[in-house]
Amino acid sequence: RCFHDHALMAGLNWLDKNWDAHDLGIPRHGKVSWTALFTDLISGNRRLHDIPLSDISAAQGDLEHLTLMQILRIRVLNLGSVLLGKGPSKLQQFMQALDRLLLQTIGWAVSASTFGPLNEDAQDRLGRDVAIVSAAAATLQEPRWWVCFAAHHRIWFDPTSFKVSPIFPGGMGVLEIEDHSKVDPHSVGQRCLLDWEVCLVVSEHDVSLKRLCLHNPRVPSTTRPRELTLEEFPY
């Protein structure tokens, strides 16, 4: 067991290291007003705790104009100094906005080309699952495929190659999560203890339906496994 935010940070760090961030620069004539500030944050020349709170608050509106890779890099470079939306109020608001946008965009990148747009809550949940599964996959390397859920859709996700498929992968089977996580009683409701039981499933019929609504249609099984590219990311 570990804290949910620690596992999430480990997953975001893994994604940042394994995705090919070919261009993190901010266009000079783009929509970002605080170009110098975000350039320093992305490069690591400055950390969030080095920036005046008034500047952080003023720059928050620019987050939606950054790419997924830029937001991810800022988050990873500030993992130790800011814990997932905790700190002074203006910094907390900035981090909550950044975390929400980051996780929703990861969820969008995984699901949009297969299922179309999801609501923001579903994107956030899927983004969290993808990040934590990516952290777990660094240790549990075989089989490569995991069960993830996008709203009422069940998908198969390979974090090592960032492939997504609605078709049950053959071969060694998939890893399924039985989630027993709960709020840490010593954190006054602020932190969650991550408690995942990971099971090997060799047949699609043995995959649990707990996180699916049974009255929804099944995921279509005509799409081949595909690999997402950075060009498909929405930001």
Side-chain angles (χ1 to χ4, degrees):
R1 296 185 184 184
C2 68
F3 285 114
H4 181 278
D5 53 351
H6 289 169
L8 182 57
M9 287 187 286
L12 294 176
N13 190 55
W14 189 94
L15 291 173
D16 181 67
K17 288 182 177 179
N18 286 274
W19 280 348
D20 182 17
H22 58 282
D23 185 8
L24 291 174
I26 298 176
R28 181 171 298 181
H29 302 293
K31 297 181 179 180
V32 177
S33 301
W34 291 77
T35 302
L37 184 150
F38 282 109
T39 298
D40 284 346
L41 287 175
I42 292 167
S43 65
N45 289 335
R46 300 171 72 185
R47 296 292 194 268
L48 282 168
H49 58 69
D50 299 324
I51 299 172
L53 293 177
S54 58
D55 289 353
I56 289 177
S57 180
Q60 182 173 324
D62 278 345
L63 288 174
E64 64 183 26
H65 302 307
L66 300 179
T67 67
L68 171 57
M69 300 308 302
Q70 290 167 343
I71 299 171
L72 178 61
R73 179 59 54 84
I74 292 172
R75 194 64 185 90
V76 167
L77 290 176
N78 289 275
L79 290 179
S81 58
V82 183
L83 287 176
L84 295 173
K86 297 179 176 62
S89 59
K90 290 183 179 179
L91 182 57
Q92 182 177 355
Q93 292 172 7
F94 181 92
M95 293 309 303
Q96 287 174 343
L98 186 149
D99 289 339
R100 182 170 58 252
L101 181 60
L102 173 58
L103 295 172
Q104 288 176 359
T105 307
I106 292 174
W108 191 99
V110 171
S111 65
S113 59
T114 304
F115 306 117
L118 304 173
N119 63 51
E120 292 183 352
D121 288 341
Q123 288 179 350
D124 184 282
R125 176 188 288 268
L126 179 58
R128 290 176 184 273
D129 281 355
V130 166
I132 298 178
V133 161
S134 297
T139 301
L140 299 174
Q141 299 179 357
E142 294 292 343
R144 299 185 307 167
W145 293 92
W146 292 68
V147 184
C148 288
F149 295 89
H152 305 304
H153 304 287
R154 183 173 60 196
I155 61 175
W156 319 104
F157 173 63
D158 176 3
T160 61
S161 61
F162 215 70
K163 288 181 179 178
V164 181
S165 174
I167 306 172
F168 186 85
M172 299 178 64
V174 302
L175 295 174
E176 181 181 18
I177 302 159
E178 184 75 23
D179 193 355
H180 305 290
S181 301
K182 56 187 177 182
V183 174
D184 177 18
H186 304 294
S187 67
V188 197
Q190 297 297 312
R191 305 183 77 183
C192 181
L193 282 169
L194 184 71
D195 187 1
W196 279 8
E197 181 181 350
V198 180
C199 307
L200 174 64
V201 180
V202 296
S203 169
E204 182 175 5
H205 299 291
D206 295 329
V207 176
S208 173
L209 296 176
K210 284 184 178 181
R211 295 177 65 186
L212 287 174
C213 292
L214 297 180
H215 62 272
N216 275 272
R218 292 179 59 85
V219 178
S221 58
T222 57
T223 305
R224 293 184 178 181
R226 58 189 305 278
E227 184 170 357
L228 298 172
T229 64
L230 290 177
E231 286 72 20
E232 294 180 88
F233 291 152
Y235 293 96

